[in-house]
Amino acid sequence: MPPQSGKDAHRVQLLDLTRPELAELLGQWGEPRYRADQLWRWLYRDLEADFTAMSNLPQPLRARLVAEASCQPLALVEELVSRDRRTRKALFRLADGETVETVLMLYEQRQTVCISTQVGCAIGCPFCATGRSGFVRNLTPGEIVAQVLHYARRLREEAQEEATSPQVPSSLSNVVVMGMGEPLANYEATWQALETLNDGQGFALGARHMTLSTAGLVPGIERMSQEKLQVGLAVSLHAPTDRLRNRLVPLNRRYPLAELMAACRRYVQRTGRRVTFEYALLQGINDSDEQAEQLARLLHGLLCHVNLIPVNPVQGSPYQPSSRPRAESFRHILQRAGIAATVRLRRGLDIEAGCGQLRQRRAIGN
Ligand code: SAH
Ligand code: SF4
């Protein structure tokens, strides 16, 4: 649990509770069993944050919730919207004053929210704004879930406002765990949050609409591959050799490529799902034709897809994105070797939508 301050310190954070835990709490308050289901639906299906509006709960229970509970662990500090309005980024303050970021991306067919799982990150990839700022603490399940609920509410409100000429879809279709932090280093809270979002009585988001990205924490990947909830796996590879990956993703010193690849192969075997590999293209560092050939050999025979992402330059870091032709040449080599690969457009550059960048900018005050 994070340290809490201010008026919420004594309150029970409802979003931190599983459905059985919520039932236990209401049982202790002397409520009948079905109340927990009603409250769960208010929170996750109706997206209601105001206890007084929960009309099928008896008045005394609503009053007790107002006095003793909270379902809003995040306070919006700032929101940036890209010029095309299709990427938005929220900075939230937590009860203890720390801040995290959440990004919404609207595509043709999908509405994806990208959520954070830690304040900062201990892994320290040198091209990543979050990694450069160090690790502060894990998020709680409620702090993770609340990021999704924020944008789900927002989309629903906007769709209602534009009811006459609907331009904005009314709900989220995908959740990607690709914001600040290493989700598998905060496994319990992250998994509880995903299970809460998946619960059919509430938010009801299918596991196929969730993807978790890891820097390669091998025991976490093993654990994920045995879960009932089959969330998609993305692995941040960024380099085809241990020598280079030790530098770009320092976790590689603990879990080198041979172990990581073996874990990915087991994941595919057990789940039947393909793995997505993320590869940030850093000009002159990891983007040569020879490195593309090495990557093709590394991934040979593995059910996977490679996302090539020209790096988003962050303040104080020397890394620059590869040019478009370089990225295409890299992709072409993978493709020729039978490995599906896509060069991803960089979204929301004008709002610093790369992970951790807004928080970093505010911390240094410019
Ligand atoms: N810690 C996890 C998830 C969060 S980072 C992980 O590393 O996978 C999500 C993705 O953004 C990762 O692939 C990460 O390597 C990438 N990333 C971080 N900083 C970036 C930058 N400046 N440009 C492009 N991609 C970046
Ligand atoms: Fe942490 Fe991921 Fe950033 Fe690396 S890329 S520092 S693992 S958040």
Side-chain angles (χ1 to χ4, degrees):
M1 282 285 143
Q4 291 198 342
S5 62
K7 65 176 175 45
D8 276 352
H10 65 284
R11 288 171 190 273
V12 45
Q13 287 293 346
L14 298 182
L15 303 188
D16 280 335
L17 305 181
T18 61
R19 197 133 70 92
E21 285 167 351
L22 185 67
E24 199 184 312
L25 176 77
L26 293 192
Q28 284 164 5
W29 286 10
E31 295 291 336
R33 284 205 66 82
Y34 61 87
R35 286 280 181 248
D37 292 338
Q38 289 177 322
L39 180 52
W40 188 267
R41 281 196 290 272
W42 279 115
L43 294 172
Y44 299 109
R45 203 170 67 189
D46 304 316
L47 308 177
E48 184 57 69
D50 176 3
F51 296 126
T52 63
M54 299 183 175
S55 52
N56 62 356
L57 303 184
Q59 207 43 264
L61 174 58
R62 285 189 244 169
R64 187 164 184 185
L65 287 167
V66 170
E68 298 180 30
S70 164
C71 62
Q72 291 196 291
L74 310 177
L76 185 65
V77 178
E78 182 179 354
E79 188 182 40
L80 300 183
V81 178
S82 66
R83 276 186 285 275
D84 66 4
R85 296 195 50 82
R86 303 194 69 79
T87 308
R88 312 187 202 172
K89 171 147 148 170
L91 184 74
F92 294 110
R93 182 172 301 109
L94 311 173
D96 61 357
E98 295 297 341
T99 52
V100 286
E101 297 175 2
T102 306
V103 179
L104 174 73
M105 291 161 286
L106 303 176
Y107 301 92
E108 289 294 311
Q109 309 284 344
R110 280 174 295 142
Q111 300 79 240
T112 299
V113 66
C114 173
I115 57 174
S116 297
T117 53
Q118 298 182 316
V119 181
C121 181
I123 291 173
C125 307
F127 55 88
C128 168
T130 306
R132 294 170 65 85
S133 63
F135 174 72
V136 181
R137 72 162 168 91
N138 283 329
L139 296 188
T140 69
E143 290 167 336
I144 299 171
V145 164
Q147 300 170 57
V148 177
L149 300 185
H150 170 83
Y151 273 121
R153 265 185 210 120
R154 196 46 89 74
L155 286 184
R156 205 184 49 179
E157 285 161 13
E158 288 176 12
Q160 280 163 1
E161 282 161 18
E162 300 194 11
T164 43
S165 58
Q167 304 204 315
V168 186
S170 64
S171 61
L172 289 172
S173 62
N174 293 75
V175 169
V176 296
V177 189
M178 295 188 182
M180 296 165 58
E182 168 49 48
L184 297 184
N186 184 16
Y187 195 99
E188 304 287 342
T190 299
W191 214 263
Q192 184 183 319
L194 296 179
E195 282 181 335
T196 293
L197 293 169
N198 177 248
D199 187 298
Q201 302 269 327
F203 200 76
L205 184 72
R208 298 206 160 256
H209 299 265
M210 304 177 183
T211 303
L212 179 152
S213 173
T214 176
L217 215 53
V218 166
I221 295 173
E222 295 287 351
R223 210 171 145 186
M224 237 183 112
S225 67
Q226 289 170 17
E227 293 280 359
K228 204 161 94 232
L229 191 68
Q230 291 207 342
V231 171
L233 172 66
V235 174
S236 299
L237 208 49
H238 307 320
T241 61
D242 280 321
R243 199 178 139 89
L244 181 58
R245 197 164 187 272
N246 284 344
R247 212 169 93 211
L248 296 180
V249 186
L251 183 67
N252 196 70
R253 294 178 204 145
R254 228 160 90 212
Y255 302 107
L257 281 171
E259 276 181 49
L260 177 58
M261 286 302 132
C264 291
R265 285 176 202 276
R266 281 192 294 273
Y267 172 89
V268 171
Q269 252 167 24
R270 285 186 192 141
T271 65
R273 297 196 68 169
R274 72 177 189 185
V275 178
T276 299
F277 290 105
E278 291 153 284
Y279 196 100
L281 289 167
L282 315 174
Q283 187 183 64
I285 307 280
N286 67 355
D287 65 349
S288 72
D289 286 352
E290 193 196 338
Q291 285 160 321
E293 311 267 4
Q294 287 173 327
L295 183 60
R297 282 195 292 278
L298 186 71
L299 302 182
H300 180 76
L302 182 60
L303 183 64
C304 69
H305 186 100
V306 179
N307 280 334
L308 300 167
I309 312 143
V311 73
N312 206 354
V314 307
Q315 225 163 37
S317 132
Y319 300 104
Q320 291 301 315
S322 309
S323 67
R324 188 79 203 193
R326 183 88 300 275
E328 282 305 330
S329 171
F330 200 95
R331 185 186 66 80
H332 186 70
I333 290 168
L334 293 177
Q335 208 92 41
R336 220 177 39 206
I339 293 164
T342 315
V343 179
R344 292 287 166 197
L345 291 173
R346 289 182 293 153
R347 298 277 314 247
L349 276 186
D350 55 330
I351 59 164
E352 301 173 282
C355 125
Q357 287 181 280
L358 180 58
R359 178 170 174 270
Q360 182 191 47
R361 180 168 62 76
R362 285 187 68 96
I364 56 180
N366 63 358

